[in-house]
């Protein structure tokens, strides 16, 4: 073992620091929040666009029936309630409890798939088309944008579930579950905003 | 006492350890190996070379424009080609050169070194963002070379760029190029923020972060909040053009002004995104070459933050001619004037630094000083534009062309050359030639002023912008000829730089670790740095790391050297937090970039590409994310969970 | 020495700017009406302030550089921060500079807002009202009247009486254009789906050139117009003439020319009142011969230019919407004679 001969110097030894951390200590948390900031800004700006277009019309919706409330509202209820298992799975993951996490993931995937199904029913019940008036374009695009995130998280959760069952588990996997739970909260919050805009703005504004 | 102050006793450095580090951190050689690199310096150099190549392309386009405008009623370029060329020039310079160079290239290369770490956060995402940028640029030029280049101006206002008035693929290519370049910038923004906040050398508390790093971090935040607006505006344009939505169609409830609001909500912060890294460079260089710490660190930092915030509230000043309500206009005048205070603060602090320091006039400093002559003139003409009545006369004329070239070239290009002369020795290990640098500087400075100063007068004499020719009866002939002559000088200057670059690779003076006697951490390692950046990871004792270092400044030990283990630190004081492991070389970033490009490019030609494109991208992301068995098992054995 | 050279060069540059810009037609610094005059005053106020600031900053820089006396080595590090004292004097200087900046900006803001108010409209109960509709690449000009048959429709040339307020209402038939006659006022965009209003007034006689100032496609460069300010009686005479319908041509060549017009593609785009042609895709040609230019200010209106334009407008304004018309030479001759009767 070759050594350099030189006077000893002070060192800061970090070998005892953890390798698995959660919350804002973890860089994946930061990456996730960065992504949510970007996508959240997209939502905010698009909603502003929706209302800008509103100011250019006297009737709203212009020449269409109001969007039917049923499926969107069911969606909202399910998503809000799903925060409970979501919170639980996040807590369990941060404690490294494998069985609970595996079960929780299956529950969340089922909820996500059900939501995707409801979403498929929502589009036709909007009572407008994307190529007939800017209102239709804005409504479809907003719903489509949220749907993109919903589907992405559904697939994310599915992949994560398979991984939690089929590959060697290490701390990182629990970090991923915790972060995926945050992404699910994002889906819920952005749905609340989207739902209010699509279904209630035509009725109130 | 901070952990750095508590640092323990001595240890010896093992040479074997350096060899292991080299083994662990190196990127593979060879042709195919090149596509698997995830080292930030490798990717940073690619960003620099590619962005500079686009700069040259944009310059050639500008030269063609100046040739056409050098005489009235010239027939060198017809209207269609001229319109494509000025659109390509603007789009290239703004989307393919300015942001990728000032923000992405410089931040990716320098930030991890300046904060004293081994790589940038999210290395594979970093590589991916480079390929996405490259493919977006190639898409645009592929369009141009097949006569499908966009011809609607770099901001592509609707309805002109909409389906009714620009048929074919031209504007679609432009709009999708935006998607590519913005995705790339957004990814780098996340990496920079994470690196700055979580990966600093112990002891580098928030108020000890170098101003250049702060500049890039502030820009990263701006990118996150500004780029979505242009993503939306261009995607909505694409939707209008491809699937018949009506966002911008006034006949069906859409609105042409909506496009302008969305575009400029991005567009104004965009110019600060380009300019703020320039101020970070100038702060760094003025400090080094005045041989003293920067005066007014806090004031400069707050000014950059202030510029960033206020910069989001100015966008309507690009729309004063559209007939907005007066009250609204006055607000935007006030905000546009307010931002001058922030920039002025930085300028005053720099002046004081030089006044109280001992100035050394080497080439980086020359280019940094040009900022004062050129950017400040541009900024001051900007004050004229903030005033609505005056703006109504000079908007959309060559006066504006003069203004933005003064601020962009003075605020970004000159600082960029300063940065290249300053940091090239670190990148390549050799200094560029000083004599050639002085020729480059003076020719570029004089040429620039000859080209763009007359444009102020042309604008006041009534010459609008974006015209492919002008009547000989108008009094614009001589000044246009003068401007075109200046462009020749600028071209020669840039050629001198390129020759200097190639010369210095073999013949430049060897730089050593710190040829400028500078303060920031990148100068604490060799030139060029080893693949693991630092043989001994540093800790920091003050704002100017090397100047404030104590003789017994501790180094960091305890990281595994048989895997790419990296120290993460706490946000506020950079105390050691945890250790993470970064991925090694892998082809997945370029594979994912190709899949994404198939999706983006395919969908502008046919809706049938949507699902195959998304599925391909999904598969690539799946492979990216899928855990590697050996690595998981190894990490599991050494895991330490947080308490 | 360096300082004086610098200062001198700057003064020269700005002197050039001053003298060079006061150049005649289509210049923002040669106002012919109250709006442009107010704007010009504001311009000079702000310009003086920013010039002074620029000179002061450069003097400050020049002095800072000139003061350095020693050649310093880059090999010695400056002393560490903890050994340095706080710099109160420097803080005062920077603080003072910032304070001065704020003050000057406030002055500019106030002047700007006040000017904006003043030029917003010219309070007038009965302004002359002109509608301008932007087309690719010409200007449709309409003088609305209470009775439909008193409406004047022309193109690319606007007449206004001297000393009277005029309100220009702008809109667009296709893409965004911008109406800009710098001798009279700043610009106003023509935006499809919006109607904007711009008040102008000419205080002296003259012909003022304007040009489209928002990129609108291929021939944006050739979309100019003229505002002709004339005494009220001449204006009224012009207006009365524009309202009238030209009589049917008597000259046999002109009669033949009218037939050429009605039996070729011309009639698919152009209106000539009295002839039966009523299409509105291109400019109204009813009083074509009374206009000084053709093709949106591109060419003087004379027989030769008209011939060239009709035969192949694409070689003059490539990409414009008018197709080439390869007419037989005697047809062309007759057509030109007819068109030249349309005063």
């Amino acid at each position: 073992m070759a050594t350099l001969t030189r006077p000893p110097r002070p060192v800061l030894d970090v070998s005892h620091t953890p390798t698995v951390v959660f919350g804002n200590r973890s860089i994946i948390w930061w990456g996730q929040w960065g992504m949510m900031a970007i996508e959240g800004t997209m939502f905010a700006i698009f909603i502003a666009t929706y209302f800008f277009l509103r100011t250019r019309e006297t009737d709203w919706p212009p020449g269409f029936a109001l969007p039917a409330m049923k499926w969107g509202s069911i969606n909202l209820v399910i998503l809000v309630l799903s925060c409970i298992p979501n919170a639980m799975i996040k807590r369990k993951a941060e404690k490294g409890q494998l069985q609970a996490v595996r079960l929780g993931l299956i529950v969340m995937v089922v909820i996500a798939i059900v939501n995707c199904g409801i979403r498929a029913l929502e589009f036709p019940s909007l009572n407008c088309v994307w190529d007939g008036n800017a209102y239709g374009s804005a409504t479809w695009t907003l719903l489509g944008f949220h749907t993109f995130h919903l589907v992405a998280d559904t697939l994310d959760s599915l992949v994560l579930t398979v991984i939690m069952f089929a590959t060697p588990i290490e701390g990182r996997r629990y970090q991923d579950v915790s972060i995926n739970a945050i992404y699910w909260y994002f889906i819920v919050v952005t749905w609340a905003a989207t739902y209010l805009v699509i279904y209630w703005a035509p009725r109130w504004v | 006492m901070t952990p750095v102050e508590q640092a323990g006793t001595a240890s010896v450095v093992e040479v074997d350890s350096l060899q292991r580090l080299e083994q662990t951190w190196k990127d593979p050689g060879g042709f195919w190996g090149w596509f698997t690199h995830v080292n930030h310096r490798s990717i940073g150099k690619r960003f620099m070379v590619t962005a500079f190549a686009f700069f040259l392309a944009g310059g050639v386009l500008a030269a063609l424009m100046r040739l056409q405008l050098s005489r009235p009623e010239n027939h060198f370029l017809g209207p269609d080609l001229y319109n494509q060329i000025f659109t390509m020039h603007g789009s290239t310079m703004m989307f393919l050169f300015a942001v990728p160079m000032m923000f992405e290239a410089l931040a990716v290369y320098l930030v991890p070194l300046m904060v004293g770490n081994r790589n940038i956060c999210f290395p594979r995402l970093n590589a991916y963002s480079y390929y996405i940028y490259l493919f977006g640029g190639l898409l645009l030029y592929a369009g141009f070379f097949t006569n499908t280049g966009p011809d609607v101006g770099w901001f592509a206002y609707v309805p002109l760029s909409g389906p009714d008035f620009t048929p074919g693929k031209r504007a679609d290519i432009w709009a999708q190029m935006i998607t590519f370049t913005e995705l790339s910038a957004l990814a780098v923004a996340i990496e920079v923020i994470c690196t700055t906040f979580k990966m600093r050398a112990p002891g580098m508390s928030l108020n000890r972060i170098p101003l250049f790093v702060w500049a890039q971090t502030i820009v990263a935040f701006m990118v996150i909040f500004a780029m979505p607006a242009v993503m939306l505006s261009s995607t909505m344009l694409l939707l209008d053009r491809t699937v018949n939505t009506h966002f911008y169609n006034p006949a069906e409830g859409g609105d042409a002004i909506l496009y302008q609001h969305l575009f400029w909500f991005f567009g104004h912060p965009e110019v600060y995104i380009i300019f703020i890294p320039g101020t970070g460079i100038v702060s760094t260089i003025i400090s080094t070459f005045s041989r003293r710490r920067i005066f007014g660190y806090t004031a400069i930092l707050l000014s950059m933050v202030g510029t960033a915030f206020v910069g989001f509230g100015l966008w309507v000043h690009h729309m004063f001619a559209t007939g907005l309500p007066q009250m609204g206009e006055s607000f935007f005048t006030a905000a546009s004037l307010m931002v001058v205070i922030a920039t002025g603060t930085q300028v005053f602090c720099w002046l004081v630094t030089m006044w109280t320091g001992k100035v050394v006039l080497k080439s980086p400093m020359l280019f940094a000083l040009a900022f004062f002559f050129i950017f400040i003139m541009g900024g001051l003409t900007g004050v004229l534009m903030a005033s609505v009545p005056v703006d109504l006369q000079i908007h959309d004329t060559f006066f504006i062309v003069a203004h933005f070239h003064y601020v962009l070239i003075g605020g970004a290009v000159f600082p960029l050359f300063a940065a290249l002369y300053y940091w090239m020795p670190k990148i390549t290990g050799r200094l560029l030639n000083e004599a050639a640098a002085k020729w480059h500087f003076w020719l570029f400075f004089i040429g620039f002023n000859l080209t763009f100063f007359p444009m102020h007068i042309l604008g006041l004499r009534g010459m609008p912008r974006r015209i492919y020719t002008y009547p000989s009866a108008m009094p614009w002939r001589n000044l246009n000829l003068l401007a075109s002559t200046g462009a020749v000088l600028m071209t020669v200057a840039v050629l001198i730089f390129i020759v200097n670059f190639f010369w210095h690779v073999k013949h430049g003076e060897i730089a050593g670790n710190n040829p400028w006697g500078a303060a920031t951490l990148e100068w604490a390692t060799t030139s060029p740095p080893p693949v693991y950046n630092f043989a001994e990871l540093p800790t920091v004792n003050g704002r100017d790391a090397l100047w404030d270092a104590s003789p017994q400044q501790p180094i960091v030990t305890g990281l595994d050297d048989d895997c790419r283990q990296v120290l993460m630190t706490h946000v506020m004081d950079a105390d050691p937090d945890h250790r993470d492991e970064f991925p090694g070389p892998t082809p997945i970033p370029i594979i994912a970039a190709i899949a994404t490009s198939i999706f983006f490019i395919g969908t502008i030609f046919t809706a049938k590409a949507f699902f195959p494109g998304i599925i391909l991208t999904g598969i690539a992301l799946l492979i990216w994310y899928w855990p590697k068995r050996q690595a998981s098992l190894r990490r599991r054995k050494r895991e330490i969970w947080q308490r | 020495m360096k300082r004086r050279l610098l200062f001198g060069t700057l003064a020269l540059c700005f002197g050039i700017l001053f003298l060079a810009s006061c150049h005649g037609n289509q210049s923002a610094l040669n106002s012919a009406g109250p709006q442009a005059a107010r704007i010009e005053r504001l311009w000079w106020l702000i310009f003086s302030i920013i010039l002074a600031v620029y000179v002061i900053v450069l003097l400050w820089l020049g002095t800072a550089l000139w003061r350095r006396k020693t050649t310093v080595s880059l090999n010695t590090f400056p002393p560490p921060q903890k050994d340095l004292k706080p710099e109160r004097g420097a803080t005062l200087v920077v603080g003072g500079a910032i304070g001065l900046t704020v003050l000057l900006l406030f002055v500019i803001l106030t002047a700007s807002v006040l000017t904006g108010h003043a030029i917003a409209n010219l309070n007038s109960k009965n302004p002359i009202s002109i509608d301008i509709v932007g087309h690719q690449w010409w200007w449709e000009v309409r003088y609305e009247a209470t009775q439909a048959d008193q409406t004047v429709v022309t193109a690319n040339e606007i007449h206004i009486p001297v000393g009277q307020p005029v309100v220009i209402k702008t809109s667009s038939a296709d893409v965004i254009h911008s109406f800009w006659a710098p001798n009279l006022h700043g610009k106003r965009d023509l935006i499809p789906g919006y109607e904007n209003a711009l008040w102008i007034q000419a205080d002296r006689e003259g012909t003022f050139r304007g040009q489209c100032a928002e990129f609108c496609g291929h021939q944006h460069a050739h979309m100019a117009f003229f505002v002709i300010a004339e005494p009220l009686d001449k204006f009224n005479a012009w207006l009365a003439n524009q309202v009238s319908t030209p009589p049917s041509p008597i000259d046999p060549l002109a009669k033949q020319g009218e037939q050429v017009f009605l039996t070729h593609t011309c009639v698919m785009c152009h209106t000539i009142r009295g002839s039966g042609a009523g299409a509105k895709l291109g400019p109204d040609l009813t009083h074509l011969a009374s206009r000084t230019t053709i093709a949106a200010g591109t060419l003087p209106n004379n027989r030769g230019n008209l011939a060239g334009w009709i035969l192949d407008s694409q070689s003059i304004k490539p990409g414009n919407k008018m197709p080439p018309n390869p007419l037989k030479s005697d047809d062309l001759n007759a057509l030109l004679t007819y068109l030249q009767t349309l005063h």
Side-chain angles (χ1 to χ4, degrees), chain B residues 387 389-390, chain C residues 38-47 111-112 115:
Chain B
S387 158
V390 177
Chain C
R38 289 282 321 228
I39 296 176
E40 204 184 325
R41 283 216 310 272
L42 181 63
W43 150 271
W44 285 117
L45 170 67
I46 302 179
F47 176 73
S112 176
T115 307

Side-chain angles (χ1 to χ4, degrees), chain A residues 6 8 25 56 171-172 176, chain B residues 10 255 536 577 581 625 639:
Chain A
R6 67 145 165 222
R25 294 177 70 175
R56 304 290 298 154
R172 280 195 178 189
D176 295 336
Chain B
D255 195 290
E536 299 168 340
D577 178 2
E581 189 180 311
Y625 175 64
E639 250 172 36

Side-chain angles (χ1 to χ4, degrees), chain B residues 165 255 260 291-293 321-322 326 337 355 361 373 384 387 392-393 395-396 460-462 466 468 517 548, chain C residues 20 26 28 54 67-68 74 76 80-81 84 87 112 116-117 180 182 187 189 194 196 213-214 219 222:
Chain B
F165 299 101
D255 195 290
Q260 294 189 29
R291 308 314 291 155
R292 59 151 291 166
R293 74 186 203 269
T322 58
Q326 242 193 326
L337 292 174
W355 187 284
L361 271 182
F373 290 83
L384 286 163
S387 158
L392 290 180
Q393 285 284 30
H395 171 67
D396 256 332
L460 289 168
R461 284 192 188 175
R466 302 173 151 181
Y468 74 98
D548 294 338
Chain C
Q26 205 165 316
Y54 190 59
R67 279 170 86 237
R68 60 194 182 95
L74 292 172
T76 346
Q81 177 157 1
L84 297 169
E87 299 175 81
S112 176
H117 268 297
W180 184 43
K187 53 186 67 72
D189 285 353
Y194 283 84
N196 281 330
E214 183 61 65
Q219 285 300 329
H222 288 126

Side-chain angles (χ1 to χ4, degrees), chain B residues 4 10 51 67 69 81 93 103 158 200 215 252 256 271 299 321 331 363 444 447 540 546-547 563 565 574 640:
Chain B
V4 175
L67 260 175
L69 291 179
L81 192 51
M93 289 306 197
F103 173 55
V158 296
R200 306 195 303 278
E252 291 280 359
V271 308
F331 169 82
S363 48
F444 199 68
V540 155
L546 296 181
W547 296 347
C563 65
Q565 196 170 70
I640 302 178

Side-chain angles (χ1 to χ4, degrees), chain B residues 118-333:
Chain B
R118 298 210 191 280
N119 202 351
I120 197 168
C121 205
F122 309 125
R124 289 173 299 180
L125 184 64
N126 189 223
Y128 173 81
S129 67
Y130 168 72
Y131 297 119
I132 289 288
Y133 155 59
L134 175 67
F135 295 154
L138 290 177
L139 167 68
L140 184 69
Y141 275 84
F144 180 58
F145 289 127
T146 53
N147 202 26
T148 335
D151 58 347
V152 286
W154 84 275
F155 37 86
Y157 277 176
V158 296
L160 180 63
S161 61
D164 294 328
F165 299 101
T166 299
K169 288 293 151 208
R170 292 177 163 193
D172 299 329
I173 287 177
W174 177 87
Q176 204 64 302
M177 174 276 294
I178 303 257
T179 310
F180 276 97
T181 51
E182 306 319 307
L183 176 60
S184 173
L186 285 164
V188 171
I190 295 186
E191 296 152 26
V192 168
I193 290 174
C194 293
T195 308
T196 303
F197 285 120
K198 291 297 295 176
M199 289 177 61
R200 306 195 303 278
M204 189 185 283
S205 52
L206 286 178
N207 65 342
R208 289 177 176 174
I209 296 178
L211 284 173
F212 178 80
V213 174
W214 270 126
Q216 297 290 19
T217 309
I218 289 166
V219 166
F221 277 103
M222 293 184 77
V223 165
I224 287 181
F225 293 109
M227 301 240 162
V230 74
M231 280 277 228
L232 273 176
S233 73
S234 60
T235 303
M236 282 155 60
L237 175 64
L238 264 175
L239 289 175
D240 268 16
R241 292 177 57 86
T242 52
V243 296
N244 278 326
T245 50
H246 294 289
F247 291 108
Y248 305 123
N249 179 4
E252 291 280 359
D255 195 290
I257 297 295
L258 171 64
Y259 182 89
Q260 294 189 29
H261 279 296
L262 288 172
F263 185 85
W264 288 114
F265 185 79
F266 148 79
H268 195 80
E270 156 91 337
V271 308
Y272 290 121
I273 286 169
I274 295 169
F275 163 66
I276 290 179
T279 65
I281 294 168
V282 172
S283 290
T284 309
I285 289 179
I286 286 189
S287 168
T288 302
F289 290 95
S290 301
R291 308 314 291 155
R292 59 151 291 166
R293 74 186 203 269
I294 195 81
F295 174 82
Y297 172 95
T298 310
I300 293 180
L301 175 53
L302 290 177
S303 294
M304 291 195 290
V305 172
T307 305
F309 271 104
V310 177
F312 274 93
L314 307 185
W315 82 92
V316 175
H317 71 217
H318 298 268
M319 297 163 62
F320 281 152
T322 58
L324 303 156
Q326 242 193 326
M327 174 70 93
E329 288 181 345
S330 300
F331 169 82
F332 285 96
T333 298

